[in-house]
């Protein structure tokens, strides 16, 4: 026994006790909950009822784990609002952070928590409500089911899983990425800061070298990569830049090999796994690519990008079946491709990429799928909203071009083509768009319709790609 403090709290054998009017009671370790309040929208249009999530899932799980739940709105304190918040983040033995909707306040609080607490921070998120941001995607989060009304979909099972994770956290030595990755943190000496400063300069130089190498093609990127040394020793930004540089020059085998050399947390991120699926498909390993993306959807839920790449896999298989004269198989694969692209667009209507691909393939169907015409204004609105925010790139203009060709709007198609040609970054971009226009032209030719002006745009794109003189 350590004796009675001024606050009538004493400790014995690792347990804390408090003096009450009825005698002493065991004080459970505190578990602070970082999460939004009320109802908030998530990806896919779902309204998440966070108060219900807390009341029927998180709070009971914390109690089941033998802890005392504490949420910011459960105890009001005077003075500056940040002081009690900081105290709870710093002093509570445990914490649960709900990362659903990527709420800015929650992420700020999580960053502080990871900076001051080595362990006992458990992350949760609603399954199927979009991807976690890149910086936390590699952390071991626990998904929970969400019902159609935004409340817990499987409260009993998820409560049991969260309680188990909290009990396991007692034995976790480190779960903060800051303490895991920064040696001797927080005792960082001046020498280490100097090394960090040198590495930042080195990283910026490598990124500049890669930017120049991409213009030189595959051999240029390979030359830079050969001088980088051990991939495990490089910062993630450089590795990702190299990974995407290989993609820019079509070095699919190098992309695949690089994933095997990455640090496991980086290799497991959604972005890397999605691009691995793309590279595998381009390298002719469609079955493995499909498995990678299907596994990603099972673990992290569908997203516009994941489903879009999966749609491309089915689209390529459809083209191969057409080439081989397998007409029945081709029809089935075309339907699967349309479904995958539609799933991606319905996951996030702000992303026009899967939407325009679904529309293009619907136009190719025999007869054309009428849903495509209904989607045209929705996809056009999505891409124009993005452009209005000042984030336009080649694919935005290319999307408007494809939509105009499907809609037989020559003036709009020629205007979008001019903007797209001026925004080309990599040769494969206009080549991809030209390929889609060729598919539309072939389908219409089979139906006895010809759009000569669209063929002219296709030729300009191929010329810009360096495929046609």
């Amino acid at each position: 026994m350590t004796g009675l403090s001024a606050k009538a709290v004493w400790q014995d054998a690792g347990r804390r006790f408090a003096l009450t009017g009825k005698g002493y009671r065991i004080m459970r370790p505190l578990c602070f909950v970082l999460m939004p309040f009320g109802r908030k929208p998530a990806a896919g249009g779902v309204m998440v009822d966070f108060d219900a999530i807390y009341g029927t899932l998180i709070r009971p799980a914390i109690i089941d784990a033998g802890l005392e739940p504490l949420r910011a709105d459960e105890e009001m304190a005077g003075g500056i609002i940040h002081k009690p918040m900081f105290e709870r983040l710093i002093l509570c033995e445990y914490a649960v952070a709900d990362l659903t909707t990527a709420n800015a306040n929650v992420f700020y609080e999580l960053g502080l928590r990871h900076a001051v607490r080595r362990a006992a921070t458990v992350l949760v998120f609603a399954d199927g409500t979009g991807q976690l941001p890149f910086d936390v995607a590699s952390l071991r989060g626990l998904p929970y089911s969400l019902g159609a009304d935004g409340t817990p979909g499987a409260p009993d099972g998820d409560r049991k899983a969260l309680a188990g994770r909290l009990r396991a956290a007692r034995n976790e030595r480190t779960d903060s990425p800051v303490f895991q990755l920064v040696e001797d943190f927080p005792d960082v000496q001046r020498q280490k800061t100097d090394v960090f400063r040198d590495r930042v300069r080195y990283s910026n130089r490598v990124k500049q070298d890669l930017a120049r190498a991409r213009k030189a093609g595959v051999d240029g990127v390979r030359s830079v990569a050969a001088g980088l040394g051990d991939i495990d020793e490089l910062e993630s930004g450089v590795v990702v830049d190299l990974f995407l540089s290989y993609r820019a020059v079509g070095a699919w085998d190098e992309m695949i090999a690089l994933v095997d050399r990455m640090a496991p947390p980086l290799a497991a991120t959604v972005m890397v796994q999605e691009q691995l699926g793309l590279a595998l498909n381009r390298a002719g390993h469609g079955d493995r690519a499909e498995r990678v993306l299907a596994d990603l959807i099972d673990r992290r839920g569908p997203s516009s990008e994941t489903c879009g790449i999966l749609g491309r896999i089915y689209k390529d298989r459809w083209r191969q079946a057409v080439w081989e004269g397998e007409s029945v198989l081709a029809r089935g694969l075309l339907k699967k491709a349309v479904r995958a692209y539609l799933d991606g667009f319905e996951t996030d209507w702000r992303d026009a990429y899967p939407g325009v691909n679904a529309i293009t393939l619907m136009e190719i169907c025999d007869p054309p799928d009428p849903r495509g015409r209904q989607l045209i204004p929705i996809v056009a609105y999505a891409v124009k909203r993005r452009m209005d925010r000042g984030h336009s790139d080649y694919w935005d203009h290319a999307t408007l071009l494809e939509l105009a060709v499907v809609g037989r709007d020559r003036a709009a198609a020629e205007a979008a083509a001019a903007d797209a040609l001026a925004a080309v970054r990599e040769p494969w971009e206009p080549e991809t768009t030209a390929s889609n226009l060729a598919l539309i032209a072939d389908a219409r030719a089979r139906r006895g319709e010809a759009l000569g002006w669209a063929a002219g745009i296709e030729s300009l794109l191929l010329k810009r790609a360096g495929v046609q003189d």
Side-chain angles (χ1 to χ4, degrees):
M1 183 183 301
T2 59
L4 196 62
S5 73
K7 292 187 178 181
V9 175
W10 61 279
Q11 183 171 316
D12 182 32
R15 296 181 297 173
R16 294 189 305 161
F17 298 79
L19 180 62
T20 70
K22 298 181 179 180
Y24 289 103
R25 69 175 178 86
I26 296 177
M27 293 182 65
R28 298 182 175 196
L30 292 174
C31 181
F32 188 47
V33 180
L34 295 61
M35 68 184 304
F37 303 116
R39 294 173 64 85
K40 298 289 189 300
V46 179
M47 290 294 294
V48 182
D49 187 340
F50 285 104
D51 294 340
I53 298 298
Y54 176 69
T56 62
L57 171 57
I58 295 178
R59 187 176 188 277
I62 293 172
I63 294 173
D64 289 349
L67 309 175
E68 187 75 27
L70 182 62
R71 195 182 184 202
D73 66 339
E74 289 190 339
E75 178 182 318
M76 301 302 294
I80 300 174
I81 187 64
H82 289 97
K83 185 175 185 295
M85 177 69 74
F86 289 156
E87 288 174 344
R88 292 161 182 166
L89 288 167
I90 295 169
L91 300 176
C92 286
E93 295 95 324
Y94 295 82
V96 173
D98 190 333
L99 306 184
T100 310
T101 75
N103 181 273
N105 289 334
V106 172
F107 274 77
Y108 175 82
E109 294 158 11
L110 176 61
L112 174 62
R113 174 77 182 184
H114 276 161
V116 298
R117 277 281 183 172
R118 178 181 293 275
T121 301
V122 176
L123 310 182
V124 299
F125 61 94
D127 199 11
T129 56
Q131 298 178 4
L132 295 178
F134 177 80
D135 287 342
V136 297
S138 63
L139 302 182
R140 195 164 60 102
L142 180 68
Y144 59 82
S145 299
L146 200 64
D149 60 352
T151 64
D156 293 339
D158 289 337
R159 183 167 60 242
K160 182 178 180 180
L162 177 54
R165 182 68 63 86
L166 285 166
R167 293 188 192 99
R170 295 174 181 172
N171 301 318
E172 286 280 353
R173 186 171 180 271
T174 305
D175 58 37
S176 163
V178 181
F179 284 85
Q180 288 174 340
L181 299 177
V182 181
E183 184 182 357
D184 297 330
F185 181 83
D187 184 25
V188 180
Q189 303 298 323
R190 181 193 60 80
Q191 285 182 315
K192 290 191 176 182
T193 62
D194 290 341
V195 170
F196 172 75
R197 192 177 297 113
D198 290 340
R199 290 190 65 174
V200 169
R201 284 196 291 264
Y202 163 76
S203 299
N204 288 335
R205 178 179 60 78
V206 172
K207 291 175 183 178
Q208 292 170 3
D209 290 346
L210 285 170
R212 289 190 291 268
R214 286 193 291 271
K215 297 178 181 179
V218 176
D219 290 339
V221 177
R222 286 172 178 162
S223 177
V224 173
L228 293 179
D230 191 348
I231 295 297
D232 285 342
E233 298 299 321
L234 299 176
E235 65 168 277
S236 296
V238 172
V239 179
V240 170
D241 197 8
L242 174 61
F243 187 57
L244 298 180
S245 294
Y246 280 138
R247 185 189 71 172
V249 296
W252 313 119
D253 290 336
E254 283 83 352
M255 283 184 72
I256 297 167
L258 182 58
V259 174
D260 291 334
R261 298 168 58 199
M262 289 181 184
L266 178 59
T269 60
V270 171
M271 186 277 291
V272 170
Q273 288 297 301
E274 286 173 340
Q275 297 305 310
L276 173 61
L278 183 149
L280 286 166
N281 185 56
R282 293 294 184 92
H285 308 296
D287 289 342
R288 183 182 167 194
E290 183 181 10
R291 289 195 299 271
V292 167
L293 296 174
D295 177 66
L296 189 58
I297 291 172
D298 287 342
R299 290 186 293 109
R300 297 298 182 91
S303 74
S304 59
E305 182 73 8
T306 307
C307 293
I309 298 173
L310 185 59
R312 174 59 190 262
I313 292 173
Y314 296 139
K315 178 181 174 182
D316 288 346
R317 289 180 182 172
W318 162 74
R319 297 181 77 163
Q320 183 66 28
V322 170
W323 177 262
E324 294 173 354
E326 299 282 352
S327 58
V328 176
L329 175 61
R331 284 198 299 272
L333 290 170
L334 186 56
K335 288 182 180 179
K336 290 186 74 170
V338 169
R339 183 69 261 167
Y341 282 127
L342 274 179
D343 286 344
F345 187 57
E346 290 171 359
T347 299
D348 186 353
W349 290 3
R350 297 167 299 178
D351 188 352
Y353 164 73
V356 69
N357 277 281
I359 290 170
T360 296
L361 294 187
M362 287 176 180
E363 180 67 16
I364 294 167
C365 292
D366 187 20
D369 190 325
R371 294 177 299 171
R373 293 302 181 90
Q374 298 171 357
L375 278 175
I376 287 177
I378 302 172
V379 176
Y381 178 78
V383 72
K384 288 176 180 177
R385 285 292 298 138
R386 171 181 158 83
M387 296 172 74
D388 289 343
R389 292 193 296 269
H391 301 304
S392 62
D393 59 17
Y394 170 82
W395 294 112
D396 297 314
H397 302 299
T399 296
L400 293 178
L401 168 57
E402 280 192 49
L403 293 176
V405 171
V406 172
R408 298 171 175 80
D409 188 338
R410 178 174 182 175
E414 290 178 344
D419 291 332
L421 290 168
V424 170
R425 298 159 301 187
E426 311 291 348
W428 61 273
E429 294 174 331
E431 186 176 1
T432 299
T433 304
S435 175
N436 287 343
L437 297 188
L439 291 176
I440 296 170
D442 290 344
R444 287 180 173 170
R446 290 194 301 271
R447 297 195 288 265
E449 179 185 357
L451 291 179
W453 55 265
I457 294 175
E458 181 187 339
S459 294
L460 291 173
L461 291 166
L462 291 173
K463 183 177 180 181
R464 185 71 172 85
V467 176
Q468 180 174 295
D469 294 333

